[in-house]
């Protein structure tokens, strides 16, 4: 038992050398701390806030109008697998509506035996489940298709977050309505000004889709769809309709705006992929990543996140030599289906310029592709569904940039 603890001590000494490299790091100059040994602290508060010494923040776009708004999770500052609700990415097409839950209704209608209207209280009274799932916009890491634009992990991959969602299985509501035999699709609609709609296959709806009202132990944030949203596990974020107000049972998809003008992939042969719902396996090194700096050569723990819309992450390999050799990273538990999985890999940086990469394999055996084979198949017409390997370049002075 001696050897491991000695190794562990040595490890701690070495990592202590590389000061400030823990996964949860603070980035800005510290405000002044309270001083004096007998100074009393602040009294209790009704709703908590983080330490004034912590400054991780969502990356915002240069221009902010309701129609173009997307903010990105600072994955470079993340630890563990959950995204705090206050840092969950936001994507909305007509701003965040302010909805009074007492006024809000969810209508289920169409080809059903009993059309039903629920208020929010009724939804919350139904048997609920809580599940940890990632949510990712299919436009995430779109900058990686061509000239790389994301200078850091938030900008390149921050349209992905992971929360514990609480809600009612949609299958339960559908059973209450009595969905008719010919129904193959549902049309889900939001209560925001753009009336976001998406066509959802009935099979998926009956499988694992939630009508969620809770997020990370409290009601949904307005940005995430308060008071009710769909959570469609593993599928492109756009179909997880927020501010959910209507579900219509139908025979065919409706070919709505967001599944025709958006979220389709135009291929090199002129045909387009449509209803490409599943977000394929993907991974990202969050430390060291763009914008960060290694203070000196020596030991570092590389860490990152991997996820797959097809199930669990089976394996993550890391390369620290520009893809010449690959080594298995350690996967942290819990390793949940369609949730972020954190990986770690010990690394001794020799102070030379190099490129770091990670490659995820999910439980179906699917391996995250490099960018080149992905571009060979998909071409460069589409900005959606990029899941290629993400390289970060470590410069001789320890600074980390896009590669
Ligand atoms: N009603 C409504 N639902 C919506 C949207 C919207 O604009 N309106 N945006 C969609 C898109 S494109 C994504 S990626 C996810 C983002 O969810 P989030 O803001 O909770 O991260 O919500 C989807 N659901
Ligand atoms: Mo999206």
């Amino acid at each position: 038992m001696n050897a491991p603890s000695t190794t562990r001590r040595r490890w701690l000494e070495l990592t202590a050398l590389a000061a400030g490299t823990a996964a949860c790091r603070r980035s800005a100059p510290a405000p002044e701390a309270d001083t004096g040994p007998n100074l009393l602290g602040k009294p209790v508060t009704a709703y908590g806030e983080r330490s004034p010494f912590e400054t991780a923040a969502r990356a915002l776009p240069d221009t902010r109008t309701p129609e173009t708004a997307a903010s990105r999770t600072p994955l470079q500052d993340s630890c563990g697998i959950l995204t705090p609700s206050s840092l969950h990415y936001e994507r909305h097409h007509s701003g965040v509506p302010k909805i009074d839950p007492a006024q809000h209704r969810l209508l289920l209608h169409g080809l059903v035996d009993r059309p039903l209207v629920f208020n929010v209280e009724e939804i919350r009274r139904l048997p609920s489940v809580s599940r940890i799932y990632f949510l990712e916009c299919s436009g995430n890491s779109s900058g990686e298709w061509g000239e790389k634009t994301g200078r850091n992990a938030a900008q390149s991959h921050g349209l992905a977050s992971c929360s514990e969602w609480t809600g009612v299985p949609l299958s339960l509501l559908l059973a209450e309505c009595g969905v008719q035999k010919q129904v193959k699709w549902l049309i889900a609609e939001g209560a925001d000004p753009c009336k976001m709609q998406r066509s959802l296959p009935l099979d998926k709806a009956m499988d694992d889709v939630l009508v969620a009202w809770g997020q990370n132990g409290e009601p949904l944030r307005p940005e995430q769809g308060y008071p009710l949203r769909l959570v469609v596990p593993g599928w492109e974020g756009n179909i997880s309709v927020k501010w959910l107000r209507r579900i219509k049972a139908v025979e065919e998809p409706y070919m709505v705006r967001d599944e025709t003008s958006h979220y389709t992939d135009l291929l090199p042969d002129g045909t387009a992929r449509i209803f490409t719902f599943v977000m394929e396996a993907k991974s990202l090194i969050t430390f060291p990543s763009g914008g960060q700096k290694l203070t000196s050569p020596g030991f570092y723990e590389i860490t990152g996140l991997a996820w797959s819309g097809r199930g669990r992450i089976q394996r993550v390999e890391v390369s620290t030599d520009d893809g010449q050799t690959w080594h298995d990273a350690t996967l942290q538990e819990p390793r949940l289906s369609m949730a972020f999985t954190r990986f770690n890999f010990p690394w001794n940086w020799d102070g030379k310029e190099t490129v770091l990469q990670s490659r995820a394999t999910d439980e179906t055996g699917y391996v995250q592709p490099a960018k080149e084979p992905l571009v060979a198949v998909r071409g460069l017409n589409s900005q959606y569904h990029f899941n290629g390997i993400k390289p970060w370049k470590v410069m001789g002075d320890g600074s980390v940039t896009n590669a």
Side-chain angles (χ1 to χ4, degrees):
M1 294 312 283
N2 262 344
S5 69
T6 312
T7 316
R8 171 117 188 110
R9 198 158 53 235
R10 176 91 185 112
W11 168 255
L12 290 174
E13 284 164 17
L14 287 166
T15 48
L17 281 177
T21 58
C24 280
R25 257 157 294 102
R26 66 153 202 260
S27 39
E32 214 146 290
D34 293 342
T35 52
N38 299 320
L39 207 64
L40 287 176
K42 119 181 146 97
V44 292
T45 49
Y47 195 84
E49 52 181 49
R50 66 178 167 180
S51 161
F53 295 90
E54 294 302 324
T55 54
R58 289 190 279 231
L60 300 172
D62 297 336
T63 50
R64 267 191 277 169
T65 68
E67 315 87 84
T68 60
S71 69
R72 292 154 189 268
T73 296
L75 295 172
Q76 68 276 12
D77 298 314
S78 66
C79 56
I81 61 170
L82 290 177
T83 309
S85 303
S86 50
L87 295 176
H88 196 286
Y89 83 92
E90 306 158 88
R91 175 76 186 103
H92 32 77
H93 299 236
S94 53
V96 179
K98 184 174 177 185
I99 294 179
D100 177 354
Q103 303 302 319
H104 191 73
R105 299 287 181 273
L106 173 61
L107 164 69
L108 285 93
H109 69 144
L111 299 170
V112 296
D113 296 336
R114 294 170 297 278
L116 292 173
V117 178
F118 293 91
N119 66 32
V120 176
E121 202 188 320
E122 286 162 345
I123 295 281
R124 288 184 183 168
R125 267 182 62 187
L126 291 169
S128 63
V129 296
S130 295
R131 301 260 191 275
I132 296 176
Y133 293 125
F134 77 82
L135 191 70
E136 182 180 20
C137 178
S138 48
N140 194 26
S141 53
S142 60
E144 302 290 313
W145 280 115
E147 287 303 303
K148 295 192 177 65
T149 51
R151 292 185 303 280
N152 59 35
Q155 285 163 350
S156 71
H157 284 68
L159 292 177
S161 306
C162 186
S163 285
E164 186 195 65
W165 305 102
T166 297
V168 189
L170 178 53
S171 58
L172 189 149
L173 301 181
L174 294 173
E176 285 304 303
C177 302
V179 172
Q180 290 170 7
K181 267 216 304 288
Q182 67 273 37
V183 171
K184 293 273 184 310
W185 293 78
L186 303 174
I187 312 303
E189 184 182 82
D192 46 340
C194 72
K195 307 282 177 290
M196 167 73 65
Q197 288 188 330
R198 282 297 304 255
S199 307
L200 173 68
L202 182 67
D203 288 351
K204 179 70 173 173
M206 297 305 287
D207 184 17
D208 56 8
V209 174
L210 300 179
V211 173
W213 47 263
Q215 178 188 7
N216 297 329
E218 63 181 350
L220 292 170
R221 292 283 163 115
E223 297 84 353
Q224 263 69 62
Y226 182 86
L228 297 176
R229 83 172 301 165
L230 283 185
V231 172
V232 183
W235 285 22
E236 64 180 1
N238 187 260
I239 201 164
S240 285
V241 172
K242 302 191 278 188
W243 311 294
L244 182 69
R245 71 164 188 183
R246 188 160 77 100
I247 290 177
K248 186 174 184 186
V250 297
E251 286 177 84
E252 305 274 350
Y254 269 18
M255 312 309 273
V256 298
R257 182 187 58 221
D258 277 79
E259 54 208 25
T260 50
S261 72
H262 292 85
Y263 305 108
T264 61
D265 304 316
L266 179 59
L267 298 173
D269 68 2
T271 63
R273 304 197 314 158
I274 187 172
F275 300 129
T276 38
F277 296 124
V278 176
M279 299 306 289
E280 302 281 6
K282 192 163 178 176
S283 68
L284 174 77
I285 292 174
T286 56
F287 176 83
S289 62
Q292 296 173 335
K293 187 152 188 191
L294 305 180
T295 46
S296 63
F299 274 88
Y300 292 90
E301 187 178 55
I302 295 174
T303 185
L305 294 164
W307 60 96
S308 167
R310 294 200 191 274
R312 278 187 187 72
I313 289 296
Q314 189 77 30
R315 180 183 196 191
V316 176
E317 297 155 282
V318 167
S319 171
T320 59
D321 55 8
D322 203 5
Q324 293 174 58
T325 60
W326 292 85
H327 308 277
D328 278 301
T330 305
L331 302 182
Q332 279 187 20
E333 298 294 335
R335 202 156 45 84
L336 303 170
S337 182
M338 298 177 282
F340 279 178
T341 293
R342 185 160 287 276
F343 64 87
N344 301 91
F345 184 75
W347 178 49
N348 188 4
W349 181 47
D350 59 10
K352 296 203 184 85
E353 195 173 294
T354 191
V355 173
L356 307 177
Q357 301 175 65
S358 64
R359 178 166 69 196
T361 304
D362 69 19
E363 64 179 327
T364 70
Y366 175 94
V367 182
Q368 182 184 6
K371 175 181 169 177
E372 294 70 28
L374 192 61
V375 171
V377 174
R378 300 257 198 88
L380 290 170
N381 294 323
S382 167
Q383 50 169 321
Y384 301 110
H385 303 107
F386 181 93
N387 71 321
I389 288 171
K390 170 69 190 168
W392 295 114
K393 185 163 194 171
V394 180
M395 311 300 277
D397 68 354
S399 56
V400 187
T401 66
N402 244 324

